[in-house]
Amino acid sequence: MTQQVQTQTVATSRGVERLVGGQFVMDGAGVKINRVLTQPLQRRLDPFLMLDAFGSDKAGDYIAGFPEHPHRGFETVTYMLEGRMRHRDSAGHEGSISSGGVQWMTAGRGVVHSEMPEQDEGLMEGFQLWLNLPAKDKMRAPWYRDIPAADVPRFTLDTGAAVQVIAGSSHGVDGAVRRDVTEPLYLDIDLPAGATFDQPLPAGHNAFLYVFRGDVVVEGKAVPQARMAILDNAQAADGVRIKAGAATRLLLIAGRPLNEPIAQYGPFVMNTQAEVFQAVEDFRNGKFTDSTAAAEA
């Protein structure tokens, strides 16, 4: 879904506060991933809790998938670059995403879900982002949406920059999903060598980018492939200017911080330890499989 754009420019760009390499871990039933945004960065990058990057053409690295597991208190955004994955959950939602598609799930008060590969060979590559929910919404009914690649808004600038707008708004193009409280921006940006891309950002929003092809420069700081750059919160800046070295593809993610306490125990993210203990108890007592969730979603 390609749209006409209103070209935007940035007068003063944010700089790079620091580079992050992430941690290689095993998750699910043995899937190899790079955990780019880790738990120690949650406060700095509020409202974002986690970013996982996965990618392999070896079936043994992903075939076991992510069997049934619970979530409460946040949203998951899965973006597939290549491959096919099927989702099922205890609120009655089911769907699959393939190359270029997005799966947006609000766990809310609790779901048990699975994410399993629908392929046994070839490349599987993509990302999963965890977006926190405000305290007032943590116990809302679960919600789910599959967004096929054809329904992800996109645009191309005269510079050759090709952008997919998963969430938020860029150059006058609204994304597939919007959220009023956290106001997330989630862009997939494809830049030719030497091209520049400007994106306005609200002064109070936390922001980062992740380069998964090529390399870029932001305010004189080089950001190589497979690195996350946390952007500074300079009050004088009105956005970020990104310049590609080689042909580059990257994610640019930003959001309005909640400035609320974060209490996490694995797949449960609440505001207090007491709420986390209650989540564990509710899961053990089968309350995440309440069929009324589907009716209220």
Side-chain angles (χ1 to χ4, degrees):
M1 184 166 57
T2 303
Q3 302 186 31
Q4 293 183 335
V5 302
Q6 303 165 5
T7 303
Q8 297 173 306
T9 58
V10 168
T12 304
S13 176
R14 296 191 188 199
V16 175
E17 180 178 296
R18 54 177 150 153
L19 299 179
V20 177
Q23 299 175 358
F24 286 92
V25 299
M26 303 288 282
D27 206 344
V31 179
K32 293 182 179 180
I33 59 175
N34 180 17
R35 184 145 294 160
V36 182
L37 197 171
T38 56
Q39 195 164 346
L41 293 174
Q42 288 177 348
R43 178 54 60 191
R44 173 62 185 84
L45 291 175
D46 178 16
F48 304 105
L49 300 165
M50 188 183 80
L51 177 67
D52 283 349
F54 55 89
S56 179
D57 58 5
K58 299 177 181 177
D61 289 343
Y62 61 75
I63 197 66
F66 301 88
E68 287 193 347
H69 57 283
H71 289 303
R72 174 179 278 184
F74 61 98
E75 303 188 89
T76 65
V77 185
T78 306
Y79 177 37
M80 295 294 290
L81 297 177
E82 297 288 341
R84 188 175 181 88
M85 186 88 73
R86 177 160 292 278
H87 164 98
R88 292 186 178 90
D89 69 41
S90 57
H93 306 124
E94 181 174 351
S96 65
I97 50 172
S98 55
S99 302
V102 178
Q103 177 193 93
W104 197 295
M105 184 187 78
T106 304
R109 64 177 176 239
V111 293
V112 177
H113 81 144
S114 62
E115 300 157 294
M116 300 300 293
E118 288 196 320
Q119 63 188 67
D120 53 19
E121 61 181 5
L123 176 64
M124 177 169 284
E125 183 180 17
F127 305 94
Q128 185 169 97
L129 177 72
W130 285 15
L131 172 63
N132 206 2
L133 285 169
K136 68 182 184 65
D137 292 332
K138 283 188 176 291
M139 295 299 287
R140 56 151 291 175
W143 179 88
Y144 173 84
R145 181 183 171 193
D146 275 333
I147 307 164
D151 291 343
V152 177
R154 65 196 72 221
F155 64 87
T156 303
L157 299 177
D158 292 342
T159 60
V163 182
Q164 299 181 76
V165 189
I166 296 167
S169 181
S170 180
H171 294 253
V173 176
D174 290 336
V177 176
R178 298 181 72 88
R179 287 290 183 262
D180 292 337
V181 179
T182 50
E183 300 176 4
L185 174 76
Y186 191 157
L187 306 179
D188 176 353
I189 305 167
D190 195 339
L191 295 175
T196 299
F197 178 78
D198 284 16
Q199 176 62 41
L201 297 170
H205 286 208
N206 291 325
F208 64 94
L209 58 86
Y210 179 72
V211 177
F212 58 96
R213 306 272 194 277
D215 59 87
V216 300
V217 174
V218 177
E219 284 295 276
K221 178 71 171 181
V223 185
Q225 183 170 318
R227 291 294 185 275
M228 176 173 74
I230 298 176
L231 302 180
D232 65 35
N233 289 48
Q235 291 301 304
D238 59 339
V240 62
R241 176 170 293 123
I242 303 165
K243 184 173 183 179
T248 298
R249 198 167 170 192
L250 69 142
L251 303 180
L252 175 61
I253 297 173
R256 179 178 177 271
L258 292 171
N259 295 317
E260 295 178 351
I262 300 171
Q264 179 178 359
Y265 177 70
F268 310 120
V269 184
M270 305 302 290
N271 298 111
T272 68
Q273 288 298 321
E275 291 171 337
V276 170
F277 295 150
Q278 187 62 55
V280 173
E281 188 69 13
D282 288 348
F283 171 61
R284 289 174 176 168
N285 290 333
K287 293 185 178 181
F288 283 24
T289 57
D290 184 350
S291 61
T292 61
E296 297 177 15

